[in-house]
Structure formats: C-alpha cells, structure tokens
Amino acid sequence: MMNFEGKSALVTGGSRGLGRAVCLELAAGGANVAFCYAGNEAAAQETLRAVEALGAKALAVRCDVSDAEQVDALAEAVLEAFGRIDILVNNAGITRDNLLMRMSEADFDAVVAANLKGTFLCMKAVSKRMLKQRYGRIVNLSSVVALRGNAGQVNYAASKAGIVGMTKSLAKELASRGVTVNAVAPGFIETDMTAALSESARAAAQGSIPMNRLGTPEDVAKAVAFLASGGAAYITGQVLAVDGGMAM
C-alpha cells in the first residue's frame, strides 16, 4: 500500500467501477479523497461511506466534466474542503459504440466531450494550483484501445488516444515544477461495461489476453496509486498498460 498521508486527491467518475477502486486505494493509503459523479446519487453515497470507513475525509460532488464552469466549481469545492489538491485522477468517461458508418455525429461529440475535453478541463483547473505548490501528480485513464484500436469504437479510441497526446504534452510543460503527468491504459477490466458483453465476446476478449483473465478494478487502482505516489517522482509522460499483456 502506498503512503498518501497528508495528501488530498480528486478522482473524476469516482462513484463506480475503476474510479471507486481508485478512491478506496488512495483512501487506504491515508489520502483525503474527493470525487465527482455524473448522476448516480446512490452509488456516490455508497462510495462516500466506503471512503470514510477507511478513516479518510471524503467529498462527493455532482459534476459534468465537459462543462468548464462545473469543473472550476468542482476544483474550488475540493480546495475549500481540503485546502489543496495533490493528486488528480481523470477517470470519468463514457462510451457510445457503433460502426463508423452508423455512428451519429452526436455520439461522436458526446464521447469526445466527456472523455477528452473533460480530461483537458480538469487538468487545466487543477494544474495551476499544483504549479503554485510545486507538487502534483496527475494520472489520466486512457485505454488499450488507444494503442491498438477496436472496431465499433472510433469515437472512444480517438478520445483515449487524444488523452495520451495530452498527457505527454502536459508532462513537458509541468515537469520543472515538480508535477508529473502520466497515463494508465487498462485492458479488459471487470466493470459494468464489460459485464454487458455476450458470453462469446467475453470469451474472445479473454482469449486475446496472455494472462488469460480479465483484470479487476483493483489491478488498475494499484497502478494508478503507484503513479500518484512519491515513489514515481521521476516518472512522467509515460503510459502504463494494465492489460495482462494484451497490447504487447
């Protein structure tokens, strides 16, 4: 377990799945944890209670990460509650899958707005604070799809590949001030998204993974926690695939 005593974290999309696992991993290490959620109040309250049960201060804020005003308000709420933001984990994201020929412009725009623009807005809102304190860890959730593509996910792959480019660019901008920016690229992970797969699709996915199993949210959360920790102080601009070897 990483030591995050005295640190405060903001996790976007933190009420369920990967985001929830990240919240709990950081809280277990001693961090105060704020997270935002899109609309599932029940899930948000459950995660809030789980974080508090680990002895951490917790804050849940409803926020549309594609809206600049809401993102700025989110950052201010975290600063008011905790006094600083040391760690930002950009996890919020959506899918609107379809083949290119059938994909609507609205579905393309929605995915890019939530996944790519949302990451941009959150990094912009938080990085200025990190620069002032000369310390920060930003970890962006990309995807193995960004590295190898996937039929029916042109919009999602584009958004996640864009996150890789933004990660590397911002890493160069902030490195001299003690702020690192890295990305984690999960493969097939046991979440609500993969639970909707048919048995045949699930078997095909598992067959493409050298470790012959789907990952767990905790697998991803531990990788995120490492990049958010003091032990990763000399790592920036990198993309860590957590995929059981799938993207090799």
Side-chain angles (χ1 to χ4, degrees):
M1 184 186 302
M2 304 295 169
N3 184 0
F4 297 107
E5 293 291 339
K7 297 293 190 293
S8 295
L10 169 58
V11 181
T12 69
S15 64
R16 297 182 297 163
L18 299 183
R20 182 182 189 277
V22 170
C23 288
L24 297 181
E25 187 72 22
L26 296 177
N32 298 322
V33 177
F35 65 90
C36 72
Y37 62 100
N40 190 329
E41 183 69 28
Q45 289 303 313
E46 195 280 330
T47 299
L48 190 71
R49 290 191 293 270
V51 170
E52 291 175 336
L54 291 168
K57 292 181 180 178
L59 176 69
V61 180
R62 187 168 182 170
C63 178
D64 176 357
V65 296
S66 68
D67 184 293
E69 290 187 1
Q70 292 189 43
V71 169
D72 287 340
L74 169 66
E76 290 299 329
V78 179
L79 288 169
E80 183 176 347
F82 299 152
R84 58 189 288 131
I85 301 173
D86 301 290
I87 299 163
L88 168 66
V89 180
N90 281 304
N91 168 73
I94 63 172
T95 57
R96 296 287 187 273
D97 296 348
N98 216 329
L99 297 176
L100 175 67
M101 296 299 179
R102 299 174 183 169
M103 184 176 293
S104 69
E105 186 175 351
D107 282 348
F108 182 89
D109 289 346
V111 169
V112 171
N115 300 2
L116 186 59
K117 183 182 177 183
T119 298
F120 160 74
L121 290 175
C122 291
M123 292 195 302
K124 185 175 181 180
V126 169
S127 60
K128 62 185 73 172
R129 278 86 176 183
M130 290 181 171
L131 285 173
K132 289 181 180 178
Q133 63 198 29
R134 301 185 72 86
Y135 180 89
R137 300 283 184 268
I138 298 175
V139 184
N140 297 323
L141 270 293
S142 180
S143 170
V144 67
V145 170
L147 308 177
R148 55 180 285 170
N150 196 39
Q153 290 193 310
V154 164
N155 50 1
Y156 186 75
S159 69
K160 293 299 186 177
I163 286 173
V164 171
M166 287 201 303
T167 296
K168 292 179 176 291
S169 297
L170 188 61
K172 292 185 176 182
E173 293 181 16
L174 304 184
S176 66
R177 297 293 187 91
V179 181
T180 65
V181 189
N182 292 288
V184 170
F188 279 99
I189 308 297
E190 296 276 11
T191 64
D192 290 345
M193 288 184 185
T194 54
L197 292 174
S198 66
E199 284 300 320
S200 59
R202 187 182 180 87
Q206 186 166 323
S208 70
I209 302 170
M211 293 188 73
N212 196 36
R213 72 170 177 88
L214 272 64
T216 67
E218 290 71 27
D219 289 328
V220 178
K222 290 183 185 302
V224 170
F226 167 66
L227 291 174
S229 74
Y234 201 56
I235 300 172
T236 197
Q238 302 304 306
V239 181
L240 176 59
V242 182
D243 62 358
M246 182 180 176
M248 285 192 295

